[in-house]
């Protein structure tokens, strides 16, 4: 589905990604003046940012059309993700785009700090040949303490190993086994600071990590310790770090990120044994190209209502090639079921049967909820806020699965309030079929409007239905007729080509031999 949207871009993003969005027909509105953010965001369907744009709950209140926030990079500390989730706004990032650049920048700072490269460079350019003053230290056989052994922490470990460094790490969320595979020994933070000659930070900035590397911890360090931070400003307390270096408690630091950015003032800037860069970790052509392209792809998928692999506030695993074709079917069944049941049932069961049950099918259940609540909600319902919609309406969602499916490879069923609908995909082209409603078996492709008619099982009733619809100018595209469980009762599922006017449905309900008519909207 091609959706033409207004995409607001508030920070420098590589052209490749933006061109892709323009080529898809979207209006790309680049507005870098962040003082006007609240004005520019009005009417935007997507917002693409880096680390400087603060996406607060207040901004989201103003951005009533917003469907997706795309963070061209990793850190999400500038985005109020819970507030976005409440509003149904998807938040996506580009988690792999700049990890190599950030790890390489860490190594650049590690070496620059160890060998005083910037200081010696500046002195020589200023006309001073200072060979003795800028003596450094080797990395080989030194201990590197990695705080946060995630994506970037691991890449730094790989690179530091090549320099002959001994590696220890603090990360309570990584198993000892996984760390061992990386050649890293897991230790407590206190132990890491006691042992480390270099300490490098690769944590997300959260309430727990802000100020984690502070005065008390630094007082436990060896005087030879050098601290590197290419993660987020504020995880290392800048004033405590500056005090520790000035007082000789530790040897130095190399810092890429600051508590307030942009900044030209920090207690660290006046110290000779400190190397600084202005948040350059991801500033390579490769990282920016990758971040721009990834975020453009993610934003396009989000605008089209498709599954977005790098969405951070969608409660599901990635949709693989097996599950992906079932998402439109699940959404369609959700919509049809909402008109079949006609209200929010107290329990909504979403059942997957067959091969797909072997996968993490949360995304299929989300698609069914998106369809169901999207059909009855005033607000746009997305993969993000569909579970919240269920909670708000007091609907308990139950996901069940079974490895076997009778007659079909895979079957999706939605049940609740005493009603049910099942669908499957058939044939080489994977065509959708409604295969069961309320235990009546059918074989009809789903349509935007459908009628399920229960009638006396006697000659002439099917003709009567056809005549009533025909007289109203309604053509029948597909239809299946079967016997209902009750003796003497038949049931038909009709997919008309158009909406059946309410008056015609009423006439059908009153017609002789007709027991009930359900009008479904898909
Ligand atoms: P990641 O999520 O892959 O890894 C973070 C690690 O920190 C995880 O292993 C996690 O278990 C650990 N962790 C989380 N909370 C912790 C805590 N309280 N104590 C100890 N460990 C904890 O993240 P990543 O992709 O490696 O990114 C790391 C940081 O680098 C992020 O802050 C990101 O924003 C930043 N970053 C900066 C730049 C730059 O330009 N300077 C570029 C890219 C990423
Ligand atoms: C990130 O978190 O991805 C980096 O800090 C780079 C950026 O801000 O763009």
């Amino acid at each position: 589905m091609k959706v033409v949207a207004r995409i607001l871009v508030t920070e420098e993003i590589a052209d490749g990604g933006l061109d892709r969005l323009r080529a898809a027909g979207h209006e790309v509105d680049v507005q870098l003046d962040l003082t006007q953010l609240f004005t520019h965001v009005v009417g935007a369907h997507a917002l693409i940012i880096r680390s400087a744009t603060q996406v607060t709950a207040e901004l989201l209140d103003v951005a009533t059309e917003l469907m997706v926030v795309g963070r061209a990079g990793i850190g999400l500390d500038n985005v109020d993700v819970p507030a976005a989730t409440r509003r149904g706004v998807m938040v996506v990032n580009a988690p792999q785009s700049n990890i190599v650049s950030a790890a390489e920048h860490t190594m650049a700072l590690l070496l620059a700090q160890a060998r005083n490269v910037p200081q010696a460079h500046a002195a020589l350019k200023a006309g001073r040949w200072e060979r003795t003053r800028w003596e450094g230290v080797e990395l080989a056989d030194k201990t590197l303490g990695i705080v946060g052994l995630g994506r970037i922490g691991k890449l730094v470990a790989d690179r530091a190993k090549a320099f002959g460094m001994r590696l220890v790490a603090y990360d309570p969320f990584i198993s000892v086994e996984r760390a061992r595979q990386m050649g890293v020994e897991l230790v407590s933070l206190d132990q890491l600071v006691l042992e480390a000659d270099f300490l490098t930070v690769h944590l997300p900035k959260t309430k727990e990590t802000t100020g984690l590397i502070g005065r008390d911890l630094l007082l436990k360090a060896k005087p030879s310790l050098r601290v590197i931070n290419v993660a987020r400003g504020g995880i290392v307390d800048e004033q405590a770090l500056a005090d520790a270096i000035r007082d000789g408690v530790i040897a130095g630091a190399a810092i890429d990120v600051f508590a307030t950015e942009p900044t030209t003032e920090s207690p660290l800037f006046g110290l000779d044994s400190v190397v600084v860069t202005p948040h350059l970790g991801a500033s390579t052509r490769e990282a920016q190209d990758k971040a721009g392209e990834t975020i453009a792809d993610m934003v396009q998928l989000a605008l089209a209502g498709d599954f977005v692999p790098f969405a951070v506030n969608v409660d599901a695993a990635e949709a693989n090639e097996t599950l992906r074709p079932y998402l439109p079917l699940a959404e369609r069944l959700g919509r049809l079921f909402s008109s079949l049941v006609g209200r929010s049932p107290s329990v909504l069961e979403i059942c997957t049967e067959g091969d797909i049950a072997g996968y993490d099918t949360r995304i299929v259940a989300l698609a069914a909820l998106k369809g169901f609540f999207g059909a009855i909600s005033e607000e746009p319902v997305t993969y993000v806020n569909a579970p919240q919609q269920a909670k708000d309406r007091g609907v308990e969602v139950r996901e069940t699965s079974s490895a076997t499916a009778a007659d079909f490879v895979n079957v999706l069923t939605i049940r609740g309030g005493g009603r049910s609908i099942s669908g499957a995909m058939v044939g080489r082209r994977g065509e959708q079929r409604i295969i069961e409603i309320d235990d009546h078996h059918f074989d009809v492709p789903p349509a935007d409007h459908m009628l399920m008619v229960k009638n006396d099982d006697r000659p002439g009733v099917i003709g009567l239905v056809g005549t009533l619809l025909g007289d109203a100018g309604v053509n029948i595209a597909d239809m299946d007729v079967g016997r209902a469980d009750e003796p003497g009762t038949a049931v038909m599922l009709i997919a008309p080509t158009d909406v059946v006017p309410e008056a015609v449905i009423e006439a059908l309900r009153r017609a002789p031999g007709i027991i009930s008519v359900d009008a479904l909207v898909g």
Side-chain angles (χ1 to χ4, degrees):
M1 178 174 44
K2 186 164 167 174
V3 177
V4 177
R6 181 175 154 244
I7 299 171
L8 177 64
V9 179
T10 57
E11 296 180 65
E12 295 286 354
I13 304 292
D15 281 338
L18 299 186
D19 287 346
R20 232 178 242 196
L21 292 168
R22 289 187 186 104
H26 297 300
E27 178 197 342
V28 176
D29 185 8
V30 181
Q31 299 285 352
L32 305 185
D33 180 0
L34 288 176
T35 63
Q36 299 303 308
L37 178 61
F38 274 72
T39 308
H40 292 140
V41 84
V42 175
H45 302 102
L47 171 62
I48 296 187
I49 59 167
R50 287 183 62 186
S51 58
T53 309
Q54 299 300 318
V55 182
T56 58
E58 292 72 32
L59 184 79
L60 291 163
D61 281 344
V62 176
T64 50
E65 305 299 308
L66 201 62
M67 295 163 75
V68 53
V69 175
R71 162 70 164 101
I74 298 175
L76 286 161
D77 41 305
N78 52 324
V79 180
D80 187 338
V81 179
T85 306
R86 282 195 299 277
R87 297 197 61 98
V89 175
M90 190 177 283
V91 179
V92 300
N93 68 353
Q96 307 288 348
S97 58
N98 57 30
I99 54 175
V100 170
S101 291
E104 289 184 358
H105 196 62
T106 304
M107 297 311 291
L109 288 188
L110 192 67
L111 285 161
Q113 215 298 323
R115 303 304 295 269
N116 302 305
V117 174
Q119 300 90 324
H121 167 91
L124 187 51
K125 282 206 151 182
R128 301 194 308 277
W129 182 265
E130 296 179 339
R131 270 191 97 184
T132 317
R133 182 165 180 207
W134 299 118
E135 182 185 84
V137 291
E138 287 184 350
L139 301 189
D141 300 325
K142 297 290 185 330
T143 297
L144 174 65
I146 303 173
V147 184
L149 197 54
R151 287 172 295 231
I152 297 170
K154 180 195 178 296
L155 293 181
V156 169
D158 292 344
R159 284 152 180 74
K161 227 181 296 166
F163 279 87
M165 300 188 87
R166 175 181 167 251
L167 304 173
V168 295
Y170 167 67
D171 191 326
F173 307 104
I174 296 281
S175 71
V176 174
E177 187 45 41
R178 168 123 178 89
R180 211 192 336 260
Q181 284 163 1
M182 297 182 207
V184 181
E185 184 190 344
L186 282 183
V187 293
S188 69
L189 187 56
D190 277 0
Q191 189 61 29
L192 180 145
V193 170
L194 282 177
E195 293 184 21
D197 300 294
F198 294 86
L199 180 159
T200 183
V201 181
H202 301 289
L203 297 170
K205 187 175 182 181
T206 62
K207 259 196 260 127
E208 291 73 38
T209 62
T210 300
L212 189 70
I213 313 295
R215 181 176 176 278
D216 292 348
L217 195 73
L218 292 171
L219 284 174
K220 297 176 185 157
K222 294 199 275 198
S224 58
L225 180 71
R226 290 161 161 87
V227 173
I228 291 96
N229 185 8
V230 182
R232 274 292 175 275
I235 299 175
V236 179
D237 179 334
E238 278 161 45
Q239 188 60 57
L241 183 65
D243 292 346
I245 296 167
R246 203 185 39 250
D247 298 345
V249 175
I250 66 166
I255 305 292
D256 182 48
V257 284
F258 299 87
T260 307
E261 293 183 5
T263 185
T264 50
E265 281 175 20
S266 163
L268 294 162
F269 291 172
L271 301 172
D272 275 351
S273 51
V274 172
V275 173
V276 288
T277 47
H279 202 146
L280 292 186
S283 296
T284 61
R285 199 177 53 235
E286 292 85 352
Q288 288 313 306
D289 285 350
K290 272 186 267 176
E293 282 162 19
T294 304
I295 219 61
D297 291 346
M298 298 302 115
V299 164
Q300 286 228 70
L301 288 171
L303 288 172
D306 284 339
F307 178 72
V308 185
F310 295 149
V312 299
N313 56 350
V314 171
D315 180 21
E318 187 170 345
N320 59 31
E321 289 313 310
T322 308
L323 295 181
R324 206 182 296 271
Y326 285 89
L327 302 184
L329 174 65
E331 195 171 333
R332 172 80 92 161
L333 289 176
R335 282 196 299 271
L336 288 166
F337 186 69
S338 77
S339 49
L340 180 70
V341 72
R343 63 194 159 86
S344 288
S346 53
V347 176
L348 194 63
E349 185 187 342
I350 301 158
C351 179
T352 46
E353 292 167 280
D355 292 352
I356 52 168
Y359 296 91
D360 179 341
T361 51
R362 278 177 297 166
I363 189 67
V364 177
L366 278 184
L369 293 182
K370 182 173 178 256
F372 182 87
F373 291 107
I376 57 176
S377 173
E378 293 284 294
E379 304 164 28
V381 178
T382 64
Y383 285 107
V384 177
N385 64 353
Q388 188 61 42
Q389 289 270 338
K391 254 188 222 142
D392 292 348
R393 292 164 197 268
V395 178
E396 183 194 333
V397 178
R398 279 190 205 149
E399 290 172 44
T400 57
S401 64
S402 153
T404 48
D407 302 331
F408 293 89
V409 179
N410 291 303
V411 175
L412 304 183
T413 300
I414 306 179
R415 274 190 207 95
R419 318 245 18 204
S420 69
I421 188 166
S422 300
M425 311 264 280
V426 297
R428 281 188 184 198
R429 280 180 299 179
E431 286 165 10
Q432 298 181 1
R433 288 285 189 279
I434 303 297
I435 58 164
E436 212 172 304
I437 298 180
D438 296 344
D439 297 329
H440 306 304
H441 297 274
F442 299 111
D443 181 359
V444 177
D448 292 351
H449 298 277
M450 304 187 85
L451 296 178
M452 185 170 78
V453 181
K454 225 181 223 188
N455 55 284
D456 294 341
D457 188 12
R458 58 177 167 80
V461 183
I462 296 176
L464 174 81
V465 172
T467 306
L468 270 170
L469 292 177
D471 287 350
V474 176
N475 206 5
I476 294 176
D478 287 290
M479 180 169 173
D480 196 7
V481 181
R483 294 235 149 77
D485 286 344
E486 304 89 328
T489 307
V491 63
M492 58 186 113
L493 184 63
I494 302 168
T497 48
D498 293 302
V499 186
V500 183
E502 194 51 41
V504 178
I505 295 173
E506 279 311 315
L508 272 175
R509 283 186 179 128
R510 286 194 307 269
I514 302 295
I515 300 166
S516 66
V517 179
D518 282 296
L520 312 185
V521 181

